């Protein structure tokens, strides 16, 4: 697997730690090249090889969190599938993650899961 997305609630279940840097380092030992830990309103932590960072969440008024993780990952993958991991830069990755955070924030500002997912046009506004 090249890309993994877990939430901050799932990380300790998989690895036994709530520390994103430590947990993702352990996961990366299995050959996973790009790891995201979603942090709810606090955005996302990422590990990309030996580089780590955080991208802030997009502010929103929460209506329902159902579907937020799926929206985030779907939005991120929609951009990542157009990139080569070998040439992906941190700046480009952080732009993709900001896009995915915005998509997830739109979903959480609505009710329902799939019906709450935004269109590309809504995210790009």
């Amino acid at each position: 697997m090249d890309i993994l997305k877990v939430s901050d609630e799932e990380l300790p279940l998989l690895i036994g730690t709530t520390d994103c840097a430590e947990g993702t380092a352990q996961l990366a030992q299995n050959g996973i090249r790009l790891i995201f830990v979603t942090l709810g309103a606090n955005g996302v932590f990422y590990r990309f090889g030996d580089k780590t960072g955080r991208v802030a969440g997009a502010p929103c008024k929460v209506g329902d969190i159902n579907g937020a993780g799926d929206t985030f990952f779907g939005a991120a993958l929609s951009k990542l599938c157009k990139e080569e991991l070998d040439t992906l830069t941190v700046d480009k990755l952080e732009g993709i993650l900001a896009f995915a955070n915005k998509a997830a924030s739109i979903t959480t500002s609505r009710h329902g899961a799939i019906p709450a997912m935004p269109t590309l046009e809504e995210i790009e506004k």
Side-chain angles (χ1 to χ4, degrees), residues 56-70:
C60 72
K61 184 173 180 168
V62 175
D64 184 352
I65 63 169
N66 285 321
D70 292 333

Side-chain angles (χ1 to χ4, degrees), residues 20-21 24-25 28 32-36 45-54 85-91 93-94 97:
C20 291
T24 59
I32 306 169
R33 298 170 65 191
L34 181 55
I35 303 168
F36 306 133
F45 175 92
Y46 68 86
R47 175 174 294 279
F48 181 40
D50 61 349
K51 298 171 189 79
T52 62
R54 286 182 188 258
L85 287 182
D86 293 334
T87 58
L88 184 65
T89 65
V90 168
D91 286 342
L93 174 61
E94 289 185 354
L97 296 177

